[in-house]
Amino acid sequence: MVIPQKESLKRSFDDDNSDEEVLEKKVKTDEPILCPYLDTINRHVLDFDFEKLCSVSLSRINVYACLVCGKYFQGRGNNTHAYTHSVSESHHVFLNLNTLKFYCLPDNYEIIDSSLKDIKRVLNPTYSDAKIADLDKNSKQSRAIDGSMYSPGIIGLNNIKANDYCNVILQALAHVSPLRDYFLKESNYSKVKRPPGDSSFILVQRFGELMRKLWSPHNFKVHVSPHEMLQAVISWSDKKFQFTEQGDPVDFLSWFLNALHIALKGTKKENSSIIYKTFLGKMRIFTRKIPPLELEESQRNELMNTDEYKETATDSPFLFLTCDLPPPPLFKDQVEENIIPQINLYTLLNKFNATNEKEYKTYKDSFMKRFEIRKLPPYVILYIKRFTKNTFFVEKNPTIINFPIKNIDFGDILTPEVKALHPSTSYDLVANIVHDGEPSNGTYKVHILHKGSQQWYEVQDLHVTPILPPMITLTEAYIQIYELKNCEQQATKV
């Protein structure tokens, strides 16, 4: 049903200039103008995940989407690319990708019709506080335009060429509730001001857009392309991370969290950004220098009493914890099959119990270090160090880690003094990133929990399949995200 327009309609005539000079004329009419071309809109070809560039001039200024063929064109006045396309192809309905207004070309009048709201929701989903609060309780599925069903938040991401290492991080972060809730409301970060010429805020905007599309119940398709998000990553990382070359998810995660923190004007203070509020923990590192082994014992004892060889303590913040796997066995078993070792997650976490020491070597000296966690964050990220790099090749450790899906108690590695400061130390797994295959040509996938239905899913680019929790523990876990139970009550609210 067409909603009658106001008595006056604006006719805008744009030229191709970047200044986009607009000449407005008011056309008075007693009868509302009904657009006869709405039935030519083809929602199956509409895809707003790519850069908003004119397909002819490659300009980002004043771009319109043709709702008949899905292509982008600049301008809508006489002699513009959109106008020419409309006349030559008889495509008449266009959407301004910036103002979200619909126009009919070449007649050049604005279309106001309630039947077009679904297109606006796909281009720019919005969320109320009530909807955001209900996301983790809602198990209702949505229907895409082709009839397929999907759960909001559990949809695939395109692998443009080799960006699966980015996709798994973006999917995992999309299920960290406080981070997701913050980015679903653009008003939370739209007023953050960056210095002139600083483009880092584009990274924040693109991540927010991706979050809103991933969790939208109004998508036309059951997948989203991270193309715009990755373009911002390439630009802001000075091409360190590409979608044409395989990368390491932990490198991307470390860079991405710090880049978001800086772009949101975060400082070294604990609650200066949503990133630090969610992931920042505190650790104390005890370091002592080891005397050279070739010295006699008496000489070594003398050195141990000097200031240079005394143990020192430094406090350090962390966004994730690095867990070291024991070296895999070098031999095969009786049936000539490779032995796949297993280890308990708690054994790996003992690295941080303030007692266990580990040796670290430099080109000149050796040090013994022990780590004491002083504060646990609402969300703990564990990085399982599987790859060992040397001069010639990269070797992968295939050790399987036995870990619980629910109720892992990080309090076991805290000192009694520190544990007393934590009301709760019990965590549940919310995301598990896995590496499959050889180090050189392997792929990444992620297991994520849909809280509304309490169903686990395995997501590998566009492929989304349900998975049973026991199967998750059999995989070669690489990065894990754990959520503190009753996190909403204990964490600082956004």
Side-chain angles (χ1 to χ4, degrees), residues 314-384:
T314 55
D315 288 335
S316 174
F318 67 87
L319 290 175
F320 59 86
L321 299 172
T322 302
C323 298
D324 303 309
L325 290 174
L330 300 174
F331 306 102
K332 297 182 178 180
D333 63 11
Q334 295 176 354
V335 291
E336 294 298 315
E337 299 247 343
N338 286 327
I339 300 170
I340 299 179
Q342 298 187 31
I343 192 170
N344 194 288
L345 179 63
Y346 287 105
T347 305
L348 298 182
L349 292 177
N350 281 335
K351 171 184 176 181
F352 307 102
N353 64 5
T355 304
N356 288 11
E357 286 189 316
K358 182 174 172 64
E359 184 177 354
Y360 292 84
K361 293 182 179 180
T362 66
Y363 72 97
K364 186 178 177 183
D365 300 309
S366 294
F367 298 88
M368 294 299 290
K369 293 188 178 185
R370 56 191 180 95
F371 305 89
E372 179 191 1
I373 292 180
R374 303 290 297 174
K375 180 189 174 187
L376 286 168
Y379 284 78
V380 173
I381 303 176
L382 296 185
Y383 159 47
I384 316 296

Side-chain angles (χ1 to χ4, degrees), residues 304-317:
M304 293 291 285
N305 293 323
T306 63
D307 290 340
E308 183 183 355
Y309 286 85
K310 281 184 179 177
E311 187 175 68
T312 59
T314 55
D315 288 335
S316 174

Side-chain angles (χ1 to χ4, degrees), residues 55-90:
S55 58
V56 180
S57 67
L58 300 183
S59 171
R60 291 182 173 84
I61 300 169
N62 196 26
V63 179
Y64 290 77
C66 173
L67 301 186
V68 182
C69 66
K71 293 180 181 178
Y72 295 170
F73 299 96
Q74 185 180 18
R76 74 172 192 275
N78 295 339
N79 301 319
T80 60
H81 299 300
Y83 184 94
T84 304
H85 175 75
S86 172
V87 173
S88 61
E89 301 294 332
S90 292

Side-chain angles (χ1 to χ4, degrees), residues 185-208:
K185 285 201 75 173
E186 197 173 2
S187 58
N188 286 332
Y189 50 88
S190 60
K191 295 179 182 177
V192 175
K193 298 197 181 207
R194 300 293 304 169
D198 187 345
S199 61
S200 66
F201 191 67
I202 295 175
L203 195 70
V204 175
Q205 291 176 314
R206 296 290 177 259
F207 185 59

